[in-house]
Amino acid sequence: MSGTPAPRRGVPGRLLCHPLGLASALVLGLIVLAVLLAPVLAAQGPGASELRDSFRGPSGGHPFGFDSAGRDVLSRLLYGGRTTLGGAVLSVAVALLLGVPAGLAAGYYGRWFDGVASWVSDLIMALPAMVVLLASRAVLGSTAWVLMVVLGFLVAPAFFRLVRGIVVQVRGELYVDAARVSGLRDARIISRHVLIVVRGPIIIQTALVAGVAIGLQAGLEFLGFGGHDGAPTWGAMLNEAFQNIQRAPLLLLWPGLALGLTSGALVLLAAALPDVLEGRGGSTGRAVRRTAEAPVAPEPAARDERAALLSVRGLAVAYTLPDGSDREVVHGVDLDVRPGEVVGLVGESGSGKTQTAFSVLGLLPEGGRVSRGSVLIEGQEVVGLPERRHRALRGDVVAYVPQEPMSNLDPAFTIGAQLVEPIRCKLGLSRKEAAARALELLRMVEIADPERAFRSYPHQISGGMAQRVLIAGAMSCEPRLLIADEPTTALDVRVQAEILELLRRLQRERDLGVLLVTHNLGVVADLCDRVAVMREGRIVESGTAEQVLHAPADPYTRGLLDAVLDHVPARPAWRPRKANA
Ligand SMILES: Nc1ncnc2c1ncn2[C@@H]1O[C@H](COP(=O)(O)OP(=O)(O)OP(=O)(O)O)[C@@H](O)[C@H]1O
């Protein structure tokens, strides 16, 4: 293995490199610090009032002036922040305590607990939060902290759903099975393998829920239902200021600003956290995960021979293992796809086909990176390309059709919603235009009733239809290169043939270049112009489909072809042992 991986920054380091994350964290940090230091920073106590100071404007020691009762506005803002932010922290804590363990247990164990917990969660989510809060105020009394606990209870399903959804996916991962097989207890598996996956989304959700909690709490207080027994809060200050809006409109500004800044900073922080937690974005080190080394420039002579659409030279992919060492899984792959050409990448399981395809897409899993080599897409080097620019290529120039259609569709959204969103995002169309385009795409992939499919959820359609939907999604931005990773493996034979026919038609009509990852030599013979055979991370043979399938040069390719069962005679019918004797 050549080269050492660049050191990976920690989360604080990555936050410092992310302008949006840094700005929002700074604003939040300053607000929290000011609120915590209220006794030091405030000119007087929050309740200290002098009637002769009523509505007095800003002055030296009182930069925000005085309210209707002659109380210092800045002091009340600082002390009020303690109650407002404290209430949000309490709500979030209750929501985390209820939602996360329940989501972990429901997702991991499933069965009756999942059914009951999901039902309760749906029920709570269906309740109108403001009405429940008003009703609980009437029943439980007007203590604000009690209301915040109720609010935590109401937002707990947000955590439950998030955690459960992720855990259900993780539960089926091979590494979780392996941990089970190796005898690890459930608690250990959850803490070691599952929590690590959900912690990022939980942190992001926490920032969002805190913003919602602050907004709801302020809304209640603004309506006069807060119940902090005279203690200042930003919502109550808004309420008081609103009553005097004619006399001193400026009084509305300060609590409004405090609420707006805090909620805005929380939302922006939540938007930045995915990049920060996954090590994307930022001004430096953004491609650390994917490319630890500067790409090796291709030889000038080789560059001339490189294909116009996709050209891979000397590609190596390495993973950093938990003990810090590196394991190279793809060792110097060369591959070309020209416009209008279908290239099959074949090889047995584990030979490195998917890793090669993911390197082109810039989607290597966590821990994996292109350790050397070059990948040109339409002449543009993508090894070392910042994630933002690589993302721009995905969909527009290169699209991907995955292996398991069902698990690649989000069960929570209709097919239409899942097609429309990326179309809007990538093509900048309005919702209506994007919906029309999605229907056109569904028609293009020969779905019999496109309107119905558009309205359906993934569980309401068949596997073959789901694969057509994914092909429709892949074609939405008219890509020039399609990477299809075992697109028919999960389907029955008849549907396989239909999907292959569809791919063939689209490829021909649009002059698409296709990289078809497969272990099925029948599919290769059916569809591919050229074939590259992979074994243990290396291309052992490549050539036209005719050459490779009919006159294989490498013993490994011959072995693969010999393993095809076409000419093997069927076993004789089973007969009872007695009859055999
Ligand atoms: N996240 C990972 N961490 C470490 N090694 C990995 C990881 N993912 C894949 N590998 C290794 O990379 C090698 C190539 O895997 P790859 O998924 O590319 O195989 P494949 O040829 O696509 O097989 P299949 O047809 O089964 O998908 C395998 O040895 C695998 O163990």
mmCIF file of all heavy atoms in Angstrom, residues 463-511:
data_model
loop_
_atom_site.group_PDB
_atom_site.id
_atom_site.type_symbol
_atom_site.label_atom_id
_atom_site.label_comp_id
_atom_site.label_asym_id
_atom_site.label_seq_id
_atom_site.Cartn_x
_atom_site.Cartn_y
_atom_site.Cartn_z
ATOM 1 N N GLY A 463 -41.067 -4.882 -7.383
ATOM 2 C CA GLY A 463 -39.626 -4.662 -7.487
ATOM 3 C C GLY A 463 -39.229 -4.185 -8.880
ATOM 4 O O GLY A 463 -38.392 -3.287 -9.024
ATOM 5 N N GLY A 464 -39.853 -4.771 -9.903
ATOM 6 C CA GLY A 464 -39.523 -4.379 -11.276
ATOM 7 C C GLY A 464 -39.909 -2.927 -11.514
ATOM 8 O O GLY A 464 -39.167 -2.161 -12.146
ATOM 9 N N MET A 465 -41.076 -2.540 -10.978
ATOM 10 C CA MET A 465 -41.530 -1.164 -11.166
ATOM 11 C C MET A 465 -40.604 -0.211 -10.407
ATOM 12 O O MET A 465 -40.262 0.868 -10.900
ATOM 13 C CB MET A 465 -42.975 -1.019 -10.684
ATOM 14 C CG MET A 465 -43.729 0.032 -11.451
ATOM 15 S SD MET A 465 -45.204 0.542 -10.651
ATOM 16 C CE MET A 465 -46.414 -0.500 -11.364
ATOM 17 N N ALA A 466 -40.171 -0.657 -9.209
ATOM 18 C CA ALA A 466 -39.257 0.188 -8.418
ATOM 19 C C ALA A 466 -37.963 0.416 -9.195
ATOM 20 O O ALA A 466 -37.425 1.524 -9.210
ATOM 21 C CB ALA A 466 -38.962 -0.471 -7.074
ATOM 22 N N GLN A 467 -37.477 -0.645 -9.883
ATOM 23 C CA GLN A 467 -36.247 -0.477 -10.651
ATOM 24 C C GLN A 467 -36.482 0.490 -11.816
ATOM 25 O O GLN A 467 -35.631 1.305 -12.138
ATOM 26 C CB GLN A 467 -35.749 -1.839 -11.152
ATOM 27 C CG GLN A 467 -34.362 -1.822 -11.738
ATOM 28 C CD GLN A 467 -33.290 -1.294 -10.785
ATOM 29 O OE1 GLN A 467 -33.255 -0.111 -10.484
ATOM 30 N NE2 GLN A 467 -32.440 -2.179 -10.308
ATOM 31 N N ARG A 468 -37.667 0.411 -12.427
ATOM 32 C CA ARG A 468 -37.985 1.362 -13.501
ATOM 33 C C ARG A 468 -38.000 2.787 -12.959
ATOM 34 O O ARG A 468 -37.543 3.722 -13.609
ATOM 35 C CB ARG A 468 -39.361 1.043 -14.103
ATOM 36 C CG ARG A 468 -39.343 -0.160 -15.020
ATOM 37 C CD ARG A 468 -40.746 -0.516 -15.465
ATOM 38 N NE ARG A 468 -40.774 -1.825 -16.065
ATOM 39 C CZ ARG A 468 -40.532 -2.062 -17.354
ATOM 40 N NH1 ARG A 468 -40.285 -1.070 -18.162
ATOM 41 N NH2 ARG A 468 -40.548 -3.280 -17.823
ATOM 42 N N VAL A 469 -38.564 2.943 -11.737
ATOM 43 C CA VAL A 469 -38.612 4.283 -11.126
ATOM 44 C C VAL A 469 -37.188 4.815 -10.933
ATOM 45 O O VAL A 469 -36.888 5.979 -11.229
ATOM 46 C CB VAL A 469 -39.356 4.222 -9.772
ATOM 47 C CG1 VAL A 469 -39.169 5.518 -8.993
ATOM 48 C CG2 VAL A 469 -40.835 3.943 -9.993
ATOM 49 N N LEU A 470 -36.294 3.930 -10.452
ATOM 50 C CA LEU A 470 -34.925 4.381 -10.219
ATOM 51 C C LEU A 470 -34.226 4.725 -11.537
ATOM 52 O O LEU A 470 -33.437 5.665 -11.609
ATOM 53 C CB LEU A 470 -34.134 3.310 -9.461
ATOM 54 C CG LEU A 470 -34.576 3.141 -8.005
ATOM 55 C CD1 LEU A 470 -33.838 2.005 -7.351
ATOM 56 C CD2 LEU A 470 -34.341 4.420 -7.221
ATOM 57 N N ILE A 471 -34.548 3.963 -12.579
ATOM 58 C CA ILE A 471 -33.959 4.287 -13.887
ATOM 59 C C ILE A 471 -34.517 5.634 -14.353
ATOM 60 O O ILE A 471 -33.781 6.490 -14.851
ATOM 61 C CB ILE A 471 -34.256 3.167 -14.914
ATOM 62 C CG1 ILE A 471 -33.526 1.883 -14.495
ATOM 63 C CG2 ILE A 471 -33.841 3.584 -16.316
ATOM 64 C CD1 ILE A 471 -33.823 0.665 -15.340
ATOM 65 N N ALA A 472 -35.821 5.838 -14.127
ATOM 66 C CA ALA A 472 -36.426 7.133 -14.492
ATOM 67 C C ALA A 472 -35.715 8.262 -13.755
ATOM 68 O O ALA A 472 -35.370 9.288 -14.339
ATOM 69 C CB ALA A 472 -37.915 7.125 -14.147
ATOM 70 N N GLY A 473 -35.479 8.054 -12.445
ATOM 71 C CA GLY A 473 -34.788 9.074 -11.639
ATOM 72 C C GLY A 473 -33.391 9.322 -12.180
ATOM 73 O O GLY A 473 -32.941 10.469 -12.296
ATOM 74 N N ALA A 474 -32.702 8.234 -12.545
ATOM 75 C CA ALA A 474 -31.328 8.382 -13.048
ATOM 76 C C ALA A 474 -31.315 9.164 -14.363
ATOM 77 O O ALA A 474 -30.390 9.917 -14.634
ATOM 78 C CB ALA A 474 -30.696 7.003 -13.244
ATOM 79 N N MET A 475 -32.372 9.004 -15.157
ATOM 80 C CA MET A 475 -32.392 9.663 -16.472
ATOM 81 C C MET A 475 -32.925 11.094 -16.394
ATOM 82 O O MET A 475 -32.969 11.788 -17.413
ATOM 83 C CB MET A 475 -33.292 8.878 -17.451
ATOM 84 C CG MET A 475 -32.895 7.438 -17.693
ATOM 85 S SD MET A 475 -31.204 7.252 -18.199
ATOM 86 C CE MET A 475 -31.228 8.132 -19.707
ATOM 87 N N SER A 476 -33.342 11.533 -15.197
ATOM 88 C CA SER A 476 -34.094 12.788 -15.122
ATOM 89 C C SER A 476 -33.300 13.992 -15.636
ATOM 90 O O SER A 476 -33.877 14.940 -16.136
ATOM 91 C CB SER A 476 -34.599 13.029 -13.705
ATOM 92 O OG SER A 476 -33.513 13.090 -12.833
ATOM 93 N N CYS A 477 -31.994 14.000 -15.459
ATOM 94 C CA CYS A 477 -31.222 15.164 -15.910
ATOM 95 C C CYS A 477 -30.464 14.865 -17.192
ATOM 96 O O CYS A 477 -29.477 15.530 -17.500
ATOM 97 C CB CYS A 477 -30.257 15.620 -14.831
ATOM 98 S SG CYS A 477 -31.086 16.131 -13.354
ATOM 99 N N GLU A 478 -30.928 13.835 -17.923
ATOM 100 C CA GLU A 478 -30.319 13.498 -19.207
ATOM 101 C C GLU A 478 -28.812 13.300 -19.085
ATOM 102 O O GLU A 478 -28.026 14.024 -19.719
ATOM 103 C CB GLU A 478 -30.591 14.615 -20.233
ATOM 104 C CG GLU A 478 -32.029 15.051 -20.278
ATOM 105 C CD GLU A 478 -32.732 14.547 -21.522
ATOM 106 O OE1 GLU A 478 -32.059 14.354 -22.516
ATOM 107 O OE2 GLU A 478 -33.953 14.317 -21.445
ATOM 108 N N PRO A 479 -28.376 12.332 -18.277
ATOM 109 C CA PRO A 479 -26.931 12.126 -18.116
ATOM 110 C C PRO A 479 -26.327 11.537 -19.387
ATOM 111 O O PRO A 479 -27.042 11.008 -20.239
ATOM 112 C CB PRO A 479 -26.865 11.118 -16.973
ATOM 113 C CG PRO A 479 -28.124 10.350 -17.098
ATOM 114 C CD PRO A 479 -29.156 11.307 -17.593
ATOM 115 N N ARG A 480 -24.998 11.646 -19.472
ATOM 116 C CA ARG A 480 -24.308 11.044 -20.623
ATOM 117 C C ARG A 480 -23.722 9.686 -20.252
ATOM 118 O O ARG A 480 -23.448 8.872 -21.101
ATOM 119 C CB ARG A 480 -23.186 11.965 -21.096
ATOM 120 C CG ARG A 480 -23.592 12.885 -22.213
ATOM 121 C CD ARG A 480 -24.115 14.221 -21.771
ATOM 122 N NE ARG A 480 -23.114 15.078 -21.194
ATOM 123 C CZ ARG A 480 -23.393 16.150 -20.457
ATOM 124 N NH1 ARG A 480 -24.663 16.457 -20.203
ATOM 125 N NH2 ARG A 480 -22.449 16.906 -19.960
ATOM 126 N N LEU A 481 -23.503 9.481 -18.950
ATOM 127 C CA LEU A 481 -22.911 8.216 -18.511
ATOM 128 C C LEU A 481 -23.809 7.611 -17.430
ATOM 129 O O LEU A 481 -24.201 8.295 -16.487
ATOM 130 C CB LEU A 481 -21.515 8.476 -17.928
ATOM 131 C CG LEU A 481 -20.821 7.297 -17.243
ATOM 132 C CD1 LEU A 481 -20.485 6.208 -18.251
ATOM 133 C CD2 LEU A 481 -19.533 7.753 -16.551
ATOM 134 N N LEU A 482 -24.135 6.330 -17.619
ATOM 135 C CA LEU A 482 -24.987 5.654 -16.624
ATOM 136 C C LEU A 482 -24.169 4.535 -15.999
ATOM 137 O O LEU A 482 -23.591 3.713 -16.718
ATOM 138 C CB LEU A 482 -26.213 5.083 -17.333
ATOM 139 C CG LEU A 482 -27.285 4.488 -16.434
ATOM 140 C CD1 LEU A 482 -27.977 5.604 -15.666
ATOM 141 C CD2 LEU A 482 -28.325 3.737 -17.261
ATOM 142 N N ILE A 483 -24.120 4.524 -14.675
ATOM 143 C CA ILE A 483 -23.454 3.415 -14.002
ATOM 144 C C ILE A 483 -24.551 2.560 -13.379
ATOM 145 O O ILE A 483 -25.308 3.036 -12.522
ATOM 146 C CB ILE A 483 -22.480 3.932 -12.926
ATOM 147 C CG1 ILE A 483 -21.391 4.752 -13.607
ATOM 148 C CG2 ILE A 483 -21.877 2.771 -12.141
ATOM 149 C CD1 ILE A 483 -20.312 5.260 -12.709
ATOM 150 N N ALA A 484 -24.665 1.344 -13.856
ATOM 151 C CA ALA A 484 -25.720 0.460 -13.339
ATOM 152 C C ALA A 484 -25.039 -0.680 -12.587
ATOM 153 O O ALA A 484 -24.255 -1.433 -13.159
ATOM 154 C CB ALA A 484 -26.547 -0.068 -14.503
ATOM 155 N N ASP A 485 -25.312 -0.753 -11.284
ATOM 156 C CA ASP A 485 -24.658 -1.760 -10.441
ATOM 157 C C ASP A 485 -25.604 -2.942 -10.244
ATOM 158 O O ASP A 485 -26.564 -2.845 -9.483
ATOM 159 C CB ASP A 485 -24.279 -1.126 -9.091
ATOM 160 C CG ASP A 485 -23.420 -2.050 -8.259
ATOM 161 O OD1 ASP A 485 -23.169 -3.195 -8.686
ATOM 162 O OD2 ASP A 485 -22.986 -1.640 -7.161
ATOM 163 N N GLU A 486 -25.366 -4.026 -10.913
ATOM 164 C CA GLU A 486 -26.210 -5.220 -10.841
ATOM 165 C C GLU A 486 -27.686 -4.827 -10.906
ATOM 166 O O GLU A 486 -28.454 -5.130 -9.991
ATOM 167 C CB GLU A 486 -25.956 -5.971 -9.514
ATOM 168 C CG GLU A 486 -24.490 -6.217 -9.204
ATOM 169 C CD GLU A 486 -24.007 -7.590 -9.617
ATOM 170 O OE1 GLU A 486 -24.741 -8.238 -10.387
ATOM 171 O OE2 GLU A 486 -22.917 -7.972 -9.217
ATOM 172 N N PRO A 487 -28.109 -4.141 -11.967
ATOM 173 C CA PRO A 487 -29.461 -3.568 -11.944
ATOM 174 C C PRO A 487 -30.571 -4.604 -11.974
ATOM 175 O O PRO A 487 -31.724 -4.264 -11.766
ATOM 176 C CB PRO A 487 -29.500 -2.723 -13.222
ATOM 177 C CG PRO A 487 -28.478 -3.323 -14.119
ATOM 178 C CD PRO A 487 -27.422 -3.908 -13.248
ATOM 179 N N THR A 488 -30.231 -5.862 -12.245
ATOM 180 C CA THR A 488 -31.316 -6.847 -12.358
ATOM 181 C C THR A 488 -31.189 -7.975 -11.338
ATOM 182 O O THR A 488 -32.026 -8.868 -11.313
ATOM 183 C CB THR A 488 -31.308 -7.480 -13.763
ATOM 184 O OG1 THR A 488 -30.014 -8.014 -14.025
ATOM 185 C CG2 THR A 488 -31.641 -6.459 -14.833
ATOM 186 N N THR A 489 -30.173 -7.892 -10.476
ATOM 187 C CA THR A 489 -29.913 -9.020 -9.567
ATOM 188 C C THR A 489 -31.104 -9.347 -8.675
ATOM 189 O O THR A 489 -31.403 -10.507 -8.425
ATOM 190 C CB THR A 489 -28.693 -8.688 -8.676
ATOM 191 O OG1 THR A 489 -27.656 -8.314 -9.545
ATOM 192 C CG2 THR A 489 -28.278 -9.859 -7.836
ATOM 193 N N ALA A 490 -31.776 -8.288 -8.177
ATOM 194 C CA ALA A 490 -32.819 -8.535 -7.187
ATOM 195 C C ALA A 490 -34.170 -8.896 -7.827
ATOM 196 O O ALA A 490 -35.171 -9.023 -7.138
ATOM 197 C CB ALA A 490 -32.979 -7.290 -6.313
ATOM 198 N N LEU A 491 -34.178 -9.067 -9.173
ATOM 199 C CA LEU A 491 -35.473 -9.241 -9.846
ATOM 200 C C LEU A 491 -35.620 -10.646 -10.418
ATOM 201 O O LEU A 491 -34.628 -11.336 -10.676
ATOM 202 C CB LEU A 491 -35.577 -8.217 -10.984
ATOM 203 C CG LEU A 491 -35.317 -6.767 -10.576
ATOM 204 C CD1 LEU A 491 -35.234 -5.877 -11.796
ATOM 205 C CD2 LEU A 491 -36.410 -6.277 -9.633
ATOM 206 N N ASP A 492 -36.873 -11.054 -10.646
ATOM 207 C CA ASP A 492 -37.047 -12.388 -11.225
ATOM 208 C C ASP A 492 -36.717 -12.357 -12.712
ATOM 209 O O ASP A 492 -36.598 -11.286 -13.326
ATOM 210 C CB ASP A 492 -38.461 -12.930 -10.941
ATOM 211 C CG ASP A 492 -39.520 -12.192 -11.718
ATOM 212 O OD1 ASP A 492 -39.391 -12.130 -12.948
ATOM 213 O OD2 ASP A 492 -40.466 -11.678 -11.096
ATOM 214 N N VAL A 493 -36.579 -13.538 -13.305
ATOM 215 C CA VAL A 493 -35.986 -13.643 -14.647
ATOM 216 C C VAL A 493 -36.765 -12.854 -15.698
ATOM 217 O O VAL A 493 -36.180 -12.166 -16.533
ATOM 218 C CB VAL A 493 -35.915 -15.126 -15.052
ATOM 219 C CG1 VAL A 493 -35.213 -15.273 -16.391
ATOM 220 C CG2 VAL A 493 -35.184 -15.908 -13.999
ATOM 221 N N ARG A 494 -38.106 -12.923 -15.631
ATOM 222 C CA ARG A 494 -38.906 -12.247 -16.647
ATOM 223 C C ARG A 494 -38.714 -10.727 -16.536
ATOM 224 O O ARG A 494 -38.497 -10.033 -17.533
ATOM 225 C CB ARG A 494 -40.386 -12.610 -16.460
ATOM 226 C CG ARG A 494 -41.284 -12.144 -17.572
ATOM 227 C CD ARG A 494 -42.721 -12.521 -17.276
ATOM 228 N NE ARG A 494 -43.179 -12.012 -15.979
ATOM 229 C CZ ARG A 494 -43.588 -10.771 -15.769
ATOM 230 N NH1 ARG A 494 -43.578 -9.899 -16.743
ATOM 231 N NH2 ARG A 494 -43.982 -10.380 -14.575
ATOM 232 N N VAL A 495 -38.748 -10.231 -15.285
ATOM 233 C CA VAL A 495 -38.590 -8.783 -15.088
ATOM 234 C C VAL A 495 -37.163 -8.361 -15.461
ATOM 235 O O VAL A 495 -36.944 -7.279 -16.020
ATOM 236 C CB VAL A 495 -38.925 -8.411 -13.627
ATOM 237 C CG1 VAL A 495 -38.826 -6.916 -13.422
ATOM 238 C CG2 VAL A 495 -40.319 -8.897 -13.276
ATOM 239 N N GLN A 496 -36.190 -9.238 -15.173
ATOM 240 C CA GLN A 496 -34.799 -8.943 -15.552
ATOM 241 C C GLN A 496 -34.722 -8.630 -17.040
ATOM 242 O O GLN A 496 -34.118 -7.651 -17.465
ATOM 243 C CB GLN A 496 -33.909 -10.165 -15.296
ATOM 244 C CG GLN A 496 -33.442 -10.294 -13.874
ATOM 245 C CD GLN A 496 -32.391 -11.390 -13.724
ATOM 246 O OE1 GLN A 496 -31.816 -11.864 -14.691
ATOM 247 N NE2 GLN A 496 -32.148 -11.786 -12.490
ATOM 248 N N ALA A 497 -35.367 -9.490 -17.834
ATOM 249 C CA ALA A 497 -35.317 -9.329 -19.286
ATOM 250 C C ALA A 497 -35.946 -7.988 -19.688
ATOM 251 O O ALA A 497 -35.422 -7.279 -20.549
ATOM 252 C CB ALA A 497 -36.047 -10.484 -19.961
ATOM 253 N N GLU A 498 -37.061 -7.636 -19.029
ATOM 254 C CA GLU A 498 -37.725 -6.369 -19.358
ATOM 255 C C GLU A 498 -36.827 -5.174 -19.029
ATOM 256 O O GLU A 498 -36.733 -4.224 -19.809
ATOM 257 C CB GLU A 498 -39.033 -6.245 -18.576
ATOM 258 C CG GLU A 498 -40.115 -7.190 -19.064
ATOM 259 C CD GLU A 498 -41.340 -7.153 -18.134
ATOM 260 O OE1 GLU A 498 -41.398 -6.285 -17.237
ATOM 261 O OE2 GLU A 498 -42.205 -7.996 -18.327
ATOM 262 N N ILE A 499 -36.191 -5.246 -17.862
ATOM 263 C CA ILE A 499 -35.342 -4.114 -17.451
ATOM 264 C C ILE A 499 -34.135 -3.996 -18.391
ATOM 265 O O ILE A 499 -33.741 -2.889 -18.781
ATOM 266 C CB ILE A 499 -34.876 -4.300 -15.982
ATOM 267 C CG1 ILE A 499 -36.080 -4.245 -15.031
ATOM 268 C CG2 ILE A 499 -33.830 -3.266 -15.585
ATOM 269 C CD1 ILE A 499 -36.725 -2.894 -14.887
ATOM 270 N N LEU A 500 -33.574 -5.140 -18.773
ATOM 271 C CA LEU A 500 -32.433 -5.093 -19.706
ATOM 272 C C LEU A 500 -32.859 -4.486 -21.041
ATOM 273 O O LEU A 500 -32.139 -3.680 -21.622
ATOM 274 C CB LEU A 500 -31.875 -6.499 -19.927
ATOM 275 C CG LEU A 500 -31.116 -7.091 -18.740
ATOM 276 C CD1 LEU A 500 -30.666 -8.503 -19.051
ATOM 277 C CD2 LEU A 500 -29.919 -6.222 -18.384
ATOM 278 N N GLU A 501 -34.053 -4.858 -21.474
ATOM 279 C CA GLU A 501 -34.567 -4.318 -22.736
ATOM 280 C C GLU A 501 -34.742 -2.800 -22.627
ATOM 281 O O GLU A 501 -34.403 -2.049 -23.538
ATOM 282 C CB GLU A 501 -35.910 -5.014 -23.070
ATOM 283 C CG GLU A 501 -36.559 -4.588 -24.362
ATOM 284 C CD GLU A 501 -35.606 -4.626 -25.562
ATOM 285 O OE1 GLU A 501 -34.828 -5.580 -25.656
ATOM 286 O OE2 GLU A 501 -35.641 -3.671 -26.365
ATOM 287 N N LEU A 502 -35.257 -2.372 -21.465
ATOM 288 C CA LEU A 502 -35.446 -0.937 -21.240
ATOM 289 C C LEU A 502 -34.092 -0.213 -21.277
ATOM 290 O O LEU A 502 -33.949 0.829 -21.935
ATOM 291 C CB LEU A 502 -36.123 -0.723 -19.878
ATOM 292 C CG LEU A 502 -36.206 0.717 -19.393
ATOM 293 C CD1 LEU A 502 -37.113 1.529 -20.292
ATOM 294 C CD2 LEU A 502 -36.710 0.775 -17.950
ATOM 295 N N LEU A 503 -33.099 -0.777 -20.586
ATOM 296 C CA LEU A 503 -31.774 -0.145 -20.575
ATOM 297 C C LEU A 503 -31.211 -0.075 -21.995
ATOM 298 O O LEU A 503 -30.640 0.933 -22.398
ATOM 299 C CB LEU A 503 -30.817 -0.937 -19.673
ATOM 300 C CG LEU A 503 -30.983 -0.729 -18.168
ATOM 301 C CD1 LEU A 503 -30.057 -1.651 -17.391
ATOM 302 C CD2 LEU A 503 -30.672 0.728 -17.797
ATOM 303 N N ARG A 504 -31.391 -1.174 -22.739
ATOM 304 C CA ARG A 504 -30.881 -1.224 -24.100
ATOM 305 C C ARG A 504 -31.528 -0.116 -24.944
ATOM 306 O O ARG A 504 -30.859 0.605 -25.663
ATOM 307 C CB ARG A 504 -31.182 -2.599 -24.709
ATOM 308 C CG ARG A 504 -30.387 -2.881 -25.969
ATOM 309 C CD ARG A 504 -30.716 -4.225 -26.555
ATOM 310 N NE ARG A 504 -30.369 -5.340 -25.697
ATOM 311 C CZ ARG A 504 -31.229 -6.234 -25.207
ATOM 312 N NH1 ARG A 504 -32.504 -6.146 -25.496
ATOM 313 N NH2 ARG A 504 -30.841 -7.229 -24.458
ATOM 314 N N ARG A 505 -32.851 0.026 -24.780
ATOM 315 C CA ARG A 505 -33.570 1.020 -25.573
ATOM 316 C C ARG A 505 -33.095 2.443 -25.231
ATOM 317 O O ARG A 505 -32.774 3.232 -26.113
ATOM 318 C CB ARG A 505 -35.066 0.906 -25.278
ATOM 319 C CG ARG A 505 -35.937 1.524 -26.343
ATOM 320 C CD ARG A 505 -37.320 1.819 -25.827
ATOM 321 N NE ARG A 505 -37.351 3.110 -25.165
ATOM 322 C CZ ARG A 505 -38.092 3.409 -24.121
ATOM 323 N NH1 ARG A 505 -38.870 2.514 -23.581
ATOM 324 N NH2 ARG A 505 -38.061 4.612 -23.588
ATOM 325 N N LEU A 506 -33.030 2.722 -23.917
ATOM 326 C CA LEU A 506 -32.621 4.074 -23.502
ATOM 327 C C LEU A 506 -31.212 4.376 -23.984
ATOM 328 O O LEU A 506 -30.909 5.469 -24.447
ATOM 329 C CB LEU A 506 -32.671 4.182 -21.968
ATOM 330 C CG LEU A 506 -34.063 4.150 -21.359
ATOM 331 C CD1 LEU A 506 -33.970 4.127 -19.844
ATOM 332 C CD2 LEU A 506 -34.852 5.387 -21.807
ATOM 333 N N GLN A 507 -30.348 3.349 -23.865
ATOM 334 C CA GLN A 507 -28.953 3.538 -24.257
ATOM 335 C C GLN A 507 -28.864 3.885 -25.739
ATOM 336 O O GLN A 507 -28.143 4.793 -26.138
ATOM 337 C CB GLN A 507 -28.194 2.249 -23.917
ATOM 338 C CG GLN A 507 -26.699 2.325 -24.107
ATOM 339 C CD GLN A 507 -26.297 1.931 -25.511
ATOM 340 O OE1 GLN A 507 -26.959 1.116 -26.150
ATOM 341 N NE2 GLN A 507 -25.223 2.536 -25.999
ATOM 342 N N ARG A 508 -29.649 3.151 -26.537
ATOM 343 C CA ARG A 508 -29.605 3.357 -27.982
ATOM 344 C C ARG A 508 -30.179 4.733 -28.344
ATOM 345 O O ARG A 508 -29.571 5.503 -29.067
ATOM 346 C CB ARG A 508 -30.419 2.265 -28.675
ATOM 347 C CG ARG A 508 -29.665 1.632 -29.832
ATOM 348 C CD ARG A 508 -30.509 0.621 -30.567
ATOM 349 N NE ARG A 508 -30.833 -0.571 -29.791
ATOM 350 C CZ ARG A 508 -32.074 -0.988 -29.548
ATOM 351 N NH1 ARG A 508 -33.113 -0.303 -29.970
ATOM 352 N NH2 ARG A 508 -32.290 -2.095 -28.873
ATOM 353 N N GLU A 509 -31.349 5.037 -27.765
ATOM 354 C CA GLU A 509 -32.021 6.293 -28.108
ATOM 355 C C GLU A 509 -31.198 7.525 -27.727
ATOM 356 O O GLU A 509 -31.234 8.533 -28.394
ATOM 357 C CB GLU A 509 -33.361 6.380 -27.371
ATOM 358 C CG GLU A 509 -34.427 5.508 -27.991
ATOM 359 C CD GLU A 509 -35.712 5.514 -27.151
ATOM 360 O OE1 GLU A 509 -35.794 6.244 -26.131
ATOM 361 O OE2 GLU A 509 -36.606 4.768 -27.522
ATOM 362 N N ARG A 510 -30.496 7.417 -26.577
ATOM 363 C CA ARG A 510 -29.807 8.609 -26.082
ATOM 364 C C ARG A 510 -28.296 8.560 -26.260
ATOM 365 O O ARG A 510 -27.577 9.399 -25.722
ATOM 366 C CB ARG A 510 -30.097 8.738 -24.566
ATOM 367 C CG ARG A 510 -31.448 9.267 -24.341
ATOM 368 C CD ARG A 510 -32.102 8.682 -23.129
ATOM 369 N NE ARG A 510 -33.527 8.853 -23.262
ATOM 370 C CZ ARG A 510 -34.203 9.875 -22.772
ATOM 371 N NH1 ARG A 510 -33.577 10.778 -22.066
ATOM 372 N NH2 ARG A 510 -35.489 9.981 -22.975
ATOM 373 N N ASP A 511 -27.821 7.517 -26.892
ATOM 374 C CA ASP A 511 -26.396 7.387 -27.122
ATOM 375 C C ASP A 511 -25.627 7.450 -25.791
ATOM 376 O O ASP A 511 -24.589 8.091 -25.673
ATOM 377 C CB ASP A 511 -25.912 8.502 -28.076
ATOM 378 C CG ASP A 511 -24.665 8.045 -28.802
ATOM 379 O OD1 ASP A 511 -24.523 6.836 -29.018
ATOM 380 O OD2 ASP A 511 -23.817 8.911 -29.134
#
